């Protein structure tokens, strides 16, 4: 689907990997045959964005969301998220009647510079803006919500807070889904202690979320798609399920808006549907198709792969082609990464820049995230049938071995390597060709078990047993 766009780029080139990654791919690891498929999959794409999008690109992108171009035949023209474009705003087209995307110009489309009709979004109905909630800053609202019962004492209802929340999200335009920006607009998320995770007390109460769903559902068209994604995420952490709201969100985003999402918003959304146990087959299919596009797959960061694998595997979504492509995307990153570094090299994957001006490089894979992905492959029984997944597992095993040897303590957690090798052993029990991936870890057992909790050591022993390497001493 991207060939026409690639042809328009004057400097298309292979951005797949550095020389180190090429050498590793050529030599193969753990007996996994070298192949040209991975490089061919990403070869020929236009140059990767160097900065995640310039201000000029975002201005055009926002304008085309507010006022899409209407072409003959009923096609709407918008712009993909600037992360996916090589330093210029790239159009895409959507046909609402047939629910069809196009990334080459439809035959009925005039040239981009020619006159065309536009379909501006109608102005949003105004809120009354009466009452104390409209006179308070987001920080003041957060402080009030931290004091349970204080809003009631002041005469502020959940409906008042919900209207203010929706108005906040309707009246600012995001670059990416990042807490660096959203923390200033999302007063119903009061912050959290990372050492404790996301506690229920970090969010407003259930009455607020039910009111928020009721106010937001009929007004989604006036909220930027990335804002909708973060809004939905705030429901997932306190686990407030409003089925009608989740159905409306999935319908709305599936209707031509997914290419406008940044990588975090897209993959967070599919995770949110899994977390809330909210079924939406059309949305899952639409996200899967968007992820399969090579230019989108190339843009994903490690956390995006992890969230996608969790969501699709634990929801029982079966799409072998999608899993193959996710496996190829994971390999692209881990084969090129030096495990001494906590961030992914910007030559391999661009940073993103927030509205605040903060530039945020992507976090690199940790061993624990690869364990999650390994278990997801196992849940899908993907390693049994897929050459791409088996090659990915070989690359993951190599990365973990290198991480054990070289990663700084801040990138490790107690028992992480033991849990990965245990998951690998379980997978090797179902897919015998993976057994040879276990071999190098036998000589590393003292390092793998150092500081590991007893349950991790027990899981490791079970992993060795599952693949026929029983009798290993885990003491």
């Amino acid at each position: 689907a991207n060939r026409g766009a690639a042809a328009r780029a004057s400097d298309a080139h292979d951005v797949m990997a550095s020389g180190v990654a090429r050498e590793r791919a050529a030599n193969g690891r753990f007996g996994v045959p070298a192949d040209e498929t991975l490089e061919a999959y990403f070869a020929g794409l236009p140059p990767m964005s160097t900065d995640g999008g310039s201000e000029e690109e975002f201005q055009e992108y926002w304008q085309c969301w507010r006022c899409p171009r209407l072409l003959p035949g009923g096609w709407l023209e918008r712009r993909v998220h600037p992360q996916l474009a090589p330093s210029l705003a790239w159009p895409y087209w959507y046909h609402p009647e047939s629910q069809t995307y196009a990334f080459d110009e439809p035959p009925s489309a005039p040239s981009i510079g020619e006159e065309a009709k536009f379909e501006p979004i109608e102005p949003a109905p105004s809120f009354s803006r009466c009452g104390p909630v409209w006179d308070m800053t987001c920080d003041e609202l957060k402080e009030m919500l931290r004091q349970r019962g204080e809003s009631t004492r002041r005469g502020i209802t959940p409906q008042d807070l919900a209207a203010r929340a929706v108005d906040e999200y309707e009246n600012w335009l995001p670059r990416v889904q990042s807490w660096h920006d959203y923390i200033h607009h999302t007063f119903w998320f009061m912050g959290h202690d990372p050492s404790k995770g996301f506690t229920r007390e970090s969010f407003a109460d259930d009455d607020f979320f039910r009111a928020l769903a009721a106010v937001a559902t009929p007004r989604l068209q006036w909220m930027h798609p990335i804002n909708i994604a973060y809004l939905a995420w705030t429901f997932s952490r306190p686990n407030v399920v409003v089925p009608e709201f989740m159905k409306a969100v999935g319908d709305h985003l599936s209707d031509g808006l997914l290419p406008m999402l940044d990588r975090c918003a897209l993959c967070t959304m599919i995770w949110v549907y899994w977390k809330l146990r909210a079924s939406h087959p059309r949305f899952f299919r639409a996200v899967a198709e968007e992820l399969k596009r090579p230019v989108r797959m190339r843009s994903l960061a490690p956390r995006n792969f992890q969230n996608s694998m969790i969501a699709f595997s634990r929801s029982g979504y079966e799409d072998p082609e999608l899993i193959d492509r996710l496996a190829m995307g994971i390999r692209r990153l881990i084969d090129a990464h030096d495990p001494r570094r906590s961030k992914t090299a910007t030559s391999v994957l661009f940073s993103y820049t927030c509205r605040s001006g903060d530039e945020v490089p992507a976090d690199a894979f940790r061993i624990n995230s690869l364990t999650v992905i390994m278990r997801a492959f196992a849940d899908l029984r993907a390693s049994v049938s897929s050459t791409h997944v088996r090659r990915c597992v070989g690359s993951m095993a190599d990365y973990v071995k290198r991480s054990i040897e070289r990663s700084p303590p801040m990138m490790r957690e107690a028992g992480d390597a033991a849990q990965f090798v245990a998951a690998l052993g379980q997978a090797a029990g179902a897919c015998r060709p993976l057994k040879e991936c276990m071999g190098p870890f036998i000589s590393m057992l003292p390092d793998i078990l150092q500081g590991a909790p007893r349950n991790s050591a027990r899981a490791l022993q079970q992993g060795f047993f599952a693949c026929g390497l029983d009798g290993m001493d885990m003491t």
Side-chain angles (χ1 to χ4, degrees), residues 24-38 331 335 386-388 390-392 394-395 433-434 436-437:
R24 183 172 294 119
N27 293 335
R29 290 296 174 99
F30 294 126
V32 179
D35 69 283
E36 298 299 326
T37 308
L38 178 63
R331 282 182 66 202
D335 282 352
S386 169
T387 300
H388 295 299
R390 292 197 295 272
R391 289 169 175 158
C392 181
S395 289
L434 295 180
E436 60 188 295
C437 296

Side-chain angles (χ1 to χ4, degrees), residues 311-355:
F312 285 112
S313 66
R314 298 181 189 178
S315 298
Y317 185 84
E318 296 185 4
D319 186 337
E321 181 185 17
L322 171 66
I323 302 308
D324 278 352
R325 296 193 184 194
L326 287 168
M328 294 166 76
I330 293 166
R331 282 182 66 202
R332 187 184 83 87
L333 294 185
I334 59 178
D335 282 352
H337 186 66
D338 180 346
R340 293 175 299 180
R341 311 299 181 193
S342 64
K343 298 290 185 178
T344 301
T346 55
S347 60
V348 177
L349 185 67
F350 54 82
S351 303
Y352 62 80
T353 304
C354 306
R355 290 299 301 262

